[in-house]
């Protein structure tokens, strides 16, 4: 499941160079090109990341890391490490993601950048939850919550992560309480944050059998992800909606959502997710007639690389 906590933190890299004129007066010179290209690479990577084009994003984030390292811009180094970790998490490589987050945490701590530190800690927490290491995630969450409280940092990520963790632990009452706190701290005018908390609440409602509420929340998350053009998020929302309708035994409606989801995953060339949705559609076919001809045609075509308008190129 997706989580905004995996959202890339760009930060502000103000690199003005001061010099002295012959008369002794200070002046500001333009930032040399080789000192600004790392930031541009982060911006390019973030653009692809926000579309769900993770492999394209990864190339730019690695470029940024090399550029920041060469010029010893430690804030940029931390940002690029954190960003690379986010990509690996979304690619399902939790082991690599954790390594990059741990290094980002170390660099942010050395800089005493507490906002960046909280972000990297939150991303690591989300990855630990994905990896099923719930006890480790809870320990890190407690540290992140303490950091946020002591430094007056916005704890949206902390409460959203805790809600997801508690949902996984089937402590549904506490999960809802935490997610509602996350909603209070979220910038609901920001589609990414709005989608994140609504998606998490939708999954919670589905877990507790409140399917109508789940559908409303997941539909709202879908609307928010459409606004930003977050392809991977849209596919996840549609997949979750299909799952909710499947649990309600509304097979035709579930199939319609799964068909829309699987085509996006295929366009993104995410074979693992594509296989998972196709498996759900196969399950539905045992209970209802589902015409898969056109869906299969496009999925096979796109997975073979025959894509005219690839959203990630």
């Amino acid at each position: 499941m997706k989580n905004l906590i995996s959202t890339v933190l760009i930060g502000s890299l103000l690199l003005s160079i001061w010099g002295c004129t012959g008369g002794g007066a200070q002046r500001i010179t333009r930032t040399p090109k080789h000192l600004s290209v790392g930031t541009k690479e982060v911006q390019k990577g973030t653009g692809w990341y926000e579309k769900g084009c993770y492999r394209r994003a990864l190339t730019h984030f690695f470029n940024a890391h090399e550029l920041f390292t060469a010029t010893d811009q430690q804030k940029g180094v931390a940002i690029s490490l954190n960003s690379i970790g986010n990509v690996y998490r979304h690619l399902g490589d939790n082991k690599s993601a954790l390594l990059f987050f741990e290094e980002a945490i170390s660099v942010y701590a050395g800089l005493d950048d507490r906002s960046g530190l909280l972000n990297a800690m939150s991303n690591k927490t989300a990855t630990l939850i994905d990896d099923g290491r719930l006890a480790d995630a809870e320990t890190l969450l407690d540290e992140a919550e303490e950091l946020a409280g002591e430094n007056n940092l916005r704890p949206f990520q902390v409460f959203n992560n805790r809600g997801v963790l508690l949902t996984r632990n089937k402590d549904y009452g506490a999960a809802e309480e935490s997610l509602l706190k996350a909603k209070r701290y979220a910038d609901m005018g920001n589609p990414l944050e709005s989608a994140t908390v609504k998606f998490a609440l939708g999954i919670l409602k589905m877990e507790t059998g409140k399917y109508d509420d789940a559908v409303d929340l997941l539909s709202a998350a879908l609307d928010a992800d459409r606004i930003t053009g977050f392809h991977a998020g849209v596919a996840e929302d549609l997949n979750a909606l299909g799952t909710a309708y499947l649990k309600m035994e509304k097979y035709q409606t579930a199939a319609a959502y799964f068909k829309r989801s699987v085509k996006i995953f295929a366009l993104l060339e995410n074979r693992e997710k594509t296989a998972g949705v196709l498996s759900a559609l196969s399950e539905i076919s045992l209970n209802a007639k589902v015409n898969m001809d056109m869906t299969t045609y496009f999925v096979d075509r796109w997975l073979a690389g025959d894509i005219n308008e690839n959203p990630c190129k």
Side-chain angles (χ1 to χ4, degrees):
M1 300 300 179
K2 70 176 190 302
N3 201 307
L4 180 63
I5 298 147
S6 50
T7 301
V8 180
L9 177 63
I10 299 178
S12 175
L13 300 173
L14 302 177
L15 303 168
S16 297
I17 309 301
W18 291 78
C20 294
T21 64
Q26 287 187 320
R27 63 184 175 83
I28 302 175
T29 64
R30 290 188 176 184
T31 301
K33 183 178 179 181
H34 70 285
L35 293 181
S36 63
V37 287
T39 302
K40 292 178 181 177
E41 285 296 312
V42 170
Q43 291 170 341
K44 290 176 182 177
T46 301
W48 288 115
Y49 180 92
E50 290 179 346
K51 291 180 179 180
C53 301
Y54 300 124
R55 296 194 182 280
R56 288 295 300 272
L58 191 62
T59 297
H60 291 289
F61 291 145
F62 269 115
N63 291 347
H65 184 72
E66 293 167 4
L67 292 162
F68 288 134
T69 298
T71 52
D72 196 34
Q73 299 177 61
Q74 288 298 291
K75 178 68 174 290
V77 167
I79 290 169
S80 59
L81 289 166
N82 194 34
S83 301
I84 292 167
N86 278 322
V87 173
Y88 276 126
R89 178 189 167 223
H90 283 288
L91 290 174
D93 187 350
N94 292 332
K95 182 178 179 180
S96 294
L98 289 169
L99 290 173
F100 280 94
F101 289 139
E102 287 162 8
E103 187 66 13
I105 287 169
S106 176
V107 177
Y108 277 127
L111 293 168
D112 198 26
D113 182 341
R114 297 173 190 182
S115 178
L117 179 59
L118 179 64
N119 184 270
M121 290 172 71
S122 296
N123 291 335
K124 182 180 175 182
T125 299
T127 308
L128 289 169
I129 294 171
D130 289 346
D131 210 36
R133 296 168 56 182
L134 303 187
D136 291 339
E138 186 171 9
T139 298
L140 187 57
L141 260 177
D142 291 341
E143 294 175 13
E145 187 169 354
E146 183 178 359
L147 175 68
E150 290 177 349
N151 294 279
N152 197 31
L153 299 173
R154 190 166 65 101
F156 162 66
Q157 297 169 312
V158 174
F159 286 124
N160 197 82
N161 271 346
R162 195 176 292 281
V164 173
L165 173 63
L166 290 165
T167 299
R168 290 282 296 271
N169 280 331
K170 302 187 184 303
D171 190 350
Y172 299 126
E176 183 166 22
E177 181 180 350
S178 186
L179 288 173
L180 289 176
K181 285 182 182 178
K183 187 177 180 181
R184 287 199 293 273
Y185 283 105
D187 176 4
M188 298 305 284
N190 179 331
L192 289 171
E193 293 196 8
S194 175
T196 295
V197 70
K198 288 174 181 176
F199 185 88
L201 281 165
I203 297 301
L204 171 63
K205 294 297 183 182
M206 183 159 49
E207 288 289 316
T208 56
K210 298 177 181 178
Y211 300 122
D212 289 336
D213 291 341
V215 166
D216 288 343
L217 286 160
L218 293 170
S219 295
L222 174 61
D223 289 341
D225 280 330
R226 282 190 185 125
I227 289 172
T228 59
F230 181 28
H231 307 311
V234 169
E236 292 283 6
D237 298 330
L238 292 168
N239 187 28
L241 281 162
T243 302
Y245 280 110
L246 178 59
K247 288 179 179 291
M248 288 189 280
E249 299 183 354
K250 295 183 178 181
Y251 299 116
Q252 294 297 335
T253 304
Y257 278 106
F258 283 137
K259 285 181 179 182
R260 289 156 62 185
S261 175
V262 77
K263 288 173 72 176
I264 297 174
F265 282 133
L267 275 172
L268 296 176
E269 299 179 82
N270 188 326
R271 295 178 181 277
E272 183 178 355
K273 292 284 188 179
T274 299
V277 181
L278 288 175
S279 177
L281 282 164
S282 178
E283 180 182 343
I284 290 175
S285 68
L286 299 175
N287 298 282
K289 185 174 182 179
V290 179
N291 188 330
M292 287 288 296
D293 291 346
M294 289 306 302
T295 301
T296 302
Y297 168 79
F298 281 112
V299 167
D300 290 345
R301 174 188 174 99
W302 293 334
L303 288 181
D306 189 1
I307 305 174
N308 294 333
E309 294 291 338
N310 192 318
C312 293
K313 289 186 178 179

